[in-house]
């Protein structure tokens, strides 16, 4: 709800924004639809159920149980879930708010053969995203040969669904997930398969479009500051979520930027 409100408040043409919500098939769809419609009566949206069975046999345990939720893998199936007439989407996690016009992000051009665009973080330790088993195998580590592979966060992506469909990228991701079931090559849920398929071959986007990590790390979820530079999107990736910290009356300073957009929570005072 916070993400929706932030998008609508900061875009110059909210009537041009169409929302595609992917929800667990076990969710109560009518309740979800009525909740959204009650808060945003004129919102153009569709809800697509994602069945856990689509990935149940492919998910391996990761360093944090929340990352093993089947819905975390739905981003790999957008080309199948959404109608064929949808050619391009901006994929967004739900733990974020925008403070800029989403049309700027949606309009980022993709070079020929590029399937997705996202901010890259080439200063991150890329080797840490895969196990020693992966790096010690030339046939596996050779996957990145000739690619300037950098980490990117999959919570904010511009995706060309036509190119995704024609390139069979869902199957490519699933192949790595199937290998992971046979031999441990990574530890971090749905992210590494995306890196294996796309790292070094994406359209780079300015870092302002994903100020991620505001939820801290995957273990303690400690408070964090913003990265240096301008901000267009705030992303509470990590263990600590702003709504949970607000409920517990233990907010981090940056959670004050989330609170005004959260329509489901009472106002919170940060005076103390």
């Amino acid at each position: 709800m916070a993400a929706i409100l932030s998008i609508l408040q900061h875009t110059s043409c909210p009537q041009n924004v169409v929302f595609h919500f992917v929800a667990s098939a076990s969710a109560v769809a009518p309740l979800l639809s009525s909740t959204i419609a009650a808060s945003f009566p004129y919102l153009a949206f569709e809800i697509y159920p994602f069945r856990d069975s689509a990935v149940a046999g492919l998910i391996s345990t990761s360093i944090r149980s929340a990352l093993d939720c089947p819905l975390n893998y739905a981003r790999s199936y957008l080309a199948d879930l959404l109608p064929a007439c949808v050619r391009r989407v901006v994929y967004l996690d739900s733990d974020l708010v925008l403070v800029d016009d989403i049309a700027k992000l949606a309009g980022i051009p993709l070079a020929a053969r590029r399937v997705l665009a996202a901010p890259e973080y080439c200063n991150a330790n890329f080797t840490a995203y895969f196990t020693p088993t992966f790096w010690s195998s030339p046939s596996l580590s050779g996957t990145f040969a000739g690619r300037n592979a950098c980490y990117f966060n999959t919570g904010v992506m511009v995706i060309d669904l036509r190119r995704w469909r024609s390139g069979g990228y869902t199957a490519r991701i699933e192949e790595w997930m199937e290998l992971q079931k046979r031999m441990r090559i990574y530890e971090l849920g749905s992210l590494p398969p995306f890196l294996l398929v796309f790292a070094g071959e994406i359209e780079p986007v300015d870092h302002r479009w994903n100020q991620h990590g505001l939820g801290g790390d995957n273990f303690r979820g400690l408070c964090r500051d913003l990265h240096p530079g301008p901000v267009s999107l705030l992303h509470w990736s990590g263990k600590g979520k702003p709504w949970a910290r607000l409920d517990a009356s233990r907010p981090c300073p940056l959670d004050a930027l989330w609170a005004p957009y959260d329509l489901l929570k009472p106002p919170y005072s940060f005076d103390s």
Side-chain angles (χ1 to χ4, degrees), residues 8-247:
L8 296 176
Q9 282 195 347
H10 293 284
T11 187
S12 57
C13 296
Q15 67 274 16
N16 292 341
V17 182
V18 178
F19 289 82
H20 302 273
F21 299 110
V22 180
S24 172
S26 60
V28 182
L31 176 61
L32 177 59
S33 179
S34 62
T35 301
I36 296 171
S39 296
F40 308 102
Y42 302 104
L43 193 71
F45 72 93
E46 294 288 342
I47 297 176
Y48 304 88
F50 181 70
R51 301 192 180 281
D52 294 357
S53 58
V55 291
L58 295 172
I59 297 176
S60 302
T61 56
S62 61
I63 60 174
R64 183 159 62 90
S65 60
L67 300 176
D68 300 336
C69 172
L71 197 59
N72 282 332
Y73 293 81
R75 73 197 82 198
S76 303
Y77 296 88
L78 295 179
D80 300 323
L81 292 168
L82 274 59
C85 61
V86 180
R87 299 180 176 183
R88 172 187 277 227
V89 294
V90 177
Y91 173 83
L92 299 173
D93 279 349
S94 57
D95 55 352
L96 53 77
V97 295
L98 276 81
V99 291
D100 203 342
D101 193 338
I102 195 171
K104 298 177 185 177
L105 180 59
I108 288 174
L110 290 171
R113 295 185 298 276
R114 298 294 197 202
V115 178
L116 65 83
E120 289 183 308
Y121 302 90
C122 294
N123 291 329
N125 181 10
F126 191 77
T127 59
Y129 292 96
F130 301 96
T131 64
T133 298
F134 174 87
W135 292 115
S136 63
S137 169
S139 63
L140 295 177
S141 59
T143 300
F144 296 115
R147 293 160 57 180
N148 183 25
C150 297
Y151 160 74
F152 65 93
N153 180 275
T154 54
V156 179
M157 299 182 288
V158 180
I159 305 175
D160 187 313
L161 293 180
R162 291 177 301 175
R163 294 177 185 176
W164 183 292
R165 294 178 181 116
S166 64
Y169 284 95
T170 296
R172 298 189 194 189
I173 288 174
E174 288 182 335
E175 287 175 2
W176 285 110
M177 294 173 66
E178 290 168 354
L179 178 61
Q180 166 76 351
K181 296 290 287 187
R182 300 195 299 271
M183 57 189 301
R184 195 78 171 175
I185 59 174
Y186 56 79
E187 305 285 355
L188 201 58
S190 62
L191 169 65
F194 263 83
L195 297 180
L196 286 160
V197 173
F198 292 110
E201 297 181 346
I202 71 172
E203 193 71 34
V205 175
D206 192 287
H207 289 179
R208 68 187 302 150
W209 287 105
N210 195 352
Q211 283 270 352
H212 68 291
L214 303 186
D217 58 27
N218 281 302
F219 298 101
R220 293 179 293 172
L222 301 178
C223 297
R224 285 188 176 174
D225 295 326
L226 290 173
H227 306 294
V231 180
S232 292
L233 184 151
L234 299 144
H235 186 190
W236 279 262
S237 58
K239 184 178 181 180
K241 301 304 180 185
W243 56 87
R245 295 192 294 220
L246 289 166
D247 282 352

